[in-house]
Amino acid sequence: MSEGPPVPAGEVTRLLRAWGEGDETARDRLIPVVYQALRKRAAAHLRHERPGHTLCPTDLVHETYMRLCEQNAAWENRDQCFGVASRLMRRILVDHARRRAAAKRGKGMRVTLAEGLAGAAPGEPDLLDLDRALGELATIDEAQARLVELRYFGGLTLEETASALGLSRTAAAREWTTAKAWLYRRLKR
């Protein structure tokens, strides 16, 4: 799909709402925009994978997009849509890693946290370990786990994440720092 001219975030929100109300033209205009955004995020996730990785960005985008369309939600805004996409991408990556681990008896997919965890741990965390750690973090602080999910799996900027969670940029930055430190300690074990 071609990229076409960029569509402002407010326009994406308008198109999402119009599509939710049955406007097929809005859907047709929105599909390439959402596809390109998902493709960019998927490529960023998979860029740091080991050579020979079996999941390509196109597969990840298609699976995410299909699941996103199955949601059939009345999207409030762009951030909500991409927040759901972040969660779906996480599930797809984790499911893929579990299948590979089952097939290879313990050899899971490896991933790199974009900004690293506080202090940059040596080596890269295993995706299954990261998923378990996020589950533990969610029992302690659901908002921090959601923030990590949006930043890491969704590729959202700090500003986009703050908006999606209804936080100020300062509060989101503070929570991001705290969550990274907690994950660093947890994954270091």
Side-chain angles (χ1 to χ4, degrees):
M1 289 188 173
S2 64
E3 232 173 280
V7 177
E11 179 68 1
V12 171
T13 296
R14 190 193 68 70
L15 290 170
L16 282 166
R17 289 180 180 158
W19 181 20
E21 295 168 2
D23 183 344
E24 300 296 316
T25 305
R27 181 204 60 200
D28 293 345
R29 177 124 191 265
L30 189 62
I31 288 172
V33 174
V34 172
Y35 183 89
Q36 279 305 118
L38 292 176
R39 178 113 173 87
K40 181 180 175 186
R41 289 174 180 157
H45 278 301
L46 298 175
R47 185 175 300 120
H48 303 288
E49 294 300 331
R50 63 178 164 49
H53 188 298
T54 59
L55 188 64
C56 69
T58 301
D59 294 339
L60 180 55
V61 170
H62 288 175
E63 184 66 25
T64 302
Y65 191 80
M66 286 184 347
R67 291 185 188 186
L68 193 60
C69 289
E70 288 172 1
Q71 296 289 313
N72 202 17
W75 304 109
E76 292 294 318
N77 57 45
R78 174 189 178 277
D79 293 337
Q80 180 197 29
C81 178
F82 286 115
V84 171
S86 301
R87 184 160 281 169
L88 293 172
M89 217 174 259
R90 173 184 175 191
R91 292 278 39 102
I92 293 163
L93 288 167
V94 168
D95 290 347
H96 182 75
R98 284 185 179 137
R99 282 191 302 275
R100 286 200 45 85
K104 293 195 172 199
R105 298 201 173 178
K107 293 185 179 180
M109 182 181 352
R110 308 297 278 179
V111 296
T112 303
L113 290 171
E115 294 180 6
L117 295 171
E124 299 172 345
D126 179 81
L127 183 60
L128 297 178
D129 290 340
L130 177 59
D131 184 59
R132 280 189 288 277
L134 278 176
E136 290 176 28
L137 180 58
T139 64
I140 298 166
D141 191 325
E142 175 69 31
Q144 283 185 2
R146 184 75 180 123
L147 187 141
V148 171
E149 187 175 69
L150 291 169
R151 296 279 335 257
Y152 179 69
F153 290 98
L156 272 61
T157 65
L158 190 57
E159 291 76 15
E160 291 169 332
T161 302
S163 174
L165 296 175
L167 299 173
S168 69
R169 186 192 186 292
T170 304
R174 182 178 53 246
E175 294 297 316
W176 175 236
T177 300
T178 303
K180 286 190 302 182
W182 187 90
L183 285 169
Y184 175 77
R185 286 189 305 274
R186 167 56 180 76
L187 291 171
K188 191 175 177 183
R189 280 194 256 158

